[in-house]
Amino acid sequence: MTIRTRLPQRTKGPGALVTGGSRGLGLFMARQLAERGCVVTIAARDAGELERAAAQLREETGAAVRTAVCDVRDRVAVRDLVREVHQRDGLDLVIANAGVIQVAPVEAVGATEFGDAMDTMFYGALHTSLEALPYLKETRGRLGLVGSVGGLLGVPHLLPYSCAKAAVGALAEGLHAEAAASGVSVTAVHPGLMRTGSHRQAEFGGDTAAEFGWFSTAAGAPLLSMDAERAARRIVDAVIQRRARLVLTAPAKAAQLAHGVAPALTTRLSGVAARLLPSASGPGALRQGAEAGEPRSPIAKIVRAWGSARNDRAVRRANQHEPGPRTSS
């Protein structure tokens, strides 16, 4: 490992905070930070899930790992969390990762689902950033905000997610420009599809079985998705190296380029893709992937089993094996 992928060392190691750190990508990023000698605090809403994640990290890395139950939608709770981490460990690096995934046609969601996505992903990232920045200025630290390729262009059947992630991306770019003079770096991270096992925790609306089928297939397909642990390593490297922006997966980079060069054409092609996705007659209760059911078509079942096989194998290592509060990416 090269020096540039490590943080400056103190007696007990740099202090790092990862929100949404109890499972999925957040858990894998916390592991990367622990392996680099950080004293890591993982924050999420579910205490039991956090303890399982921390025990797993301690066993695998031998590092000091702290847990904090925190709802990032609550700015006061985030303020208390950030202050506690700073006073106890010092605050050198923060990654705002908490998120929710809702997969459904727009007819099957309402303003509530858009509000939930914005509250968790945008306001969660905003609260974390605003509360951490004063401390990061003291340490000339690093801040990473996890957006998505879904925030770089509107993705059909992921509109609440796309809208919230687009706001996170704009926040990261603006903060990068404004915080640079104080010595704080802000990295905008835009991953594409990753094999995090998140299809078990994502919420599905409309024809839930069909939505679960296409999403879990795409999220695990070898040519479309990326191994989440490799993605976490790339993200942590980018934040430590103070990069302004990171886009992960070849399809995500291609989509970003196409949208930048020919946005109207890209939008029309998205419309064509949307016609191939399941339809819904109207709003209804969303169901987590673990409860959504398998596609009804035998062919669709075979395709899902093939495409999602790697993602299914990631479920336990990513601590996604039990449905819980919607706090992971």
Side-chain angles (χ1 to χ4, degrees), residues 149 191-195 214-227 230 248-253 306-307 310:
V149 66
L193 292 167
M194 295 173 294
R195 297 187 286 276
W214 81 258
F215 180 81
S216 60
T217 299
L223 297 179
L224 295 178
S225 65
M226 182 178 188
D227 175 78
R230 185 161 65 92
L248 287 175
T249 80
K253 292 177 181 179
W306 169 82
R310 294 187 181 188

Side-chain angles (χ1 to χ4, degrees), residues 153 255-270:
L153 64 161
Q256 174 191 226
L257 178 62
H259 191 265
V261 172
L265 175 60
T266 305
T267 301
R268 292 192 187 99
L269 291 174
S270 293

Side-chain angles (χ1 to χ4, degrees), residues 3-258:
I3 293 176
R4 65 195 179 107
T5 60
R6 290 186 179 273
L7 284 162
Q9 295 292 307
R10 293 197 301 265
T11 303
K12 63 175 181 178
L17 168 65
V18 181
T19 68
S22 64
R23 62 183 185 235
L25 180 63
L27 176 61
F28 293 143
M29 291 190 294
R31 181 182 293 117
Q32 288 292 320
L33 290 165
E35 289 176 349
R36 286 163 165 79
C38 293
V39 179
V40 180
T41 298
I42 54 175
R45 281 187 263 175
D46 186 279
E49 197 172 74
L50 278 167
E51 287 306 320
R52 286 197 305 272
Q56 181 177 328
L57 290 175
R58 293 175 189 132
E59 180 180 356
E60 293 174 350
T61 68
V65 178
R66 330 261 197 204
T67 64
V69 177
C70 180
D71 187 340
V72 295
R73 299 173 300 180
D74 182 344
R75 185 172 178 182
V76 174
V78 174
R79 179 178 301 148
D80 292 342
L81 165 66
V82 171
R83 183 192 303 118
E84 178 184 347
V85 174
H86 175 71
Q87 291 175 347
R88 183 186 62 214
D89 303 320
L91 199 62
D92 296 274
L93 186 148
V94 176
I95 299 180
N97 170 71
V100 297
I101 303 175
Q102 300 142 318
V103 185
V106 70
E107 295 93 340
V109 297
T112 298
E113 284 71 31
F114 280 87
D116 286 346
M118 290 296 293
D119 285 345
T120 300
M121 289 182 281
F122 173 65
Y123 282 105
L126 177 65
H127 295 160
T128 303
S129 300
L130 294 179
E131 298 304 330
L133 279 170
Y135 301 119
L136 292 174
K137 288 178 181 178
E138 295 180 17
T139 60
R140 299 179 67 84
R142 297 153 168 88
L143 173 64
L145 303 187
V146 178
S148 169
V149 66
L152 301 179
L153 64 161
V155 180
H157 290 223
L158 284 165
L159 280 183
Y161 180 85
S162 283
C163 290
K165 289 297 192 180
V168 171
L171 175 66
E173 292 183 5
L175 289 178
H176 178 85
E178 293 203 29
S182 65
V184 177
S185 60
V186 182
T187 302
V189 179
H190 298 288
L193 292 167
M194 295 173 294
R195 297 187 286 276
T196 63
S198 62
H199 61 299
R200 298 277 295 175
Q201 302 286 350
E203 294 189 316
F204 299 87
D207 186 340
T208 57
E211 296 287 350
F212 175 75
W214 81 258
F215 180 81
S216 60
T217 299
L223 297 179
L224 295 178
S225 65
M226 182 178 188
D227 175 78
E229 295 189 72
R230 185 161 65 92
R233 182 170 60 251
R234 294 274 306 277
I235 292 168
V236 169
D237 284 349
V239 174
I240 292 175
Q241 294 166 11
R242 301 186 184 274
R243 290 180 57 179
R245 182 184 179 96
L246 176 68
V247 179
L248 287 175
T249 80
K253 292 177 181 179
Q256 174 191 226
L257 178 62

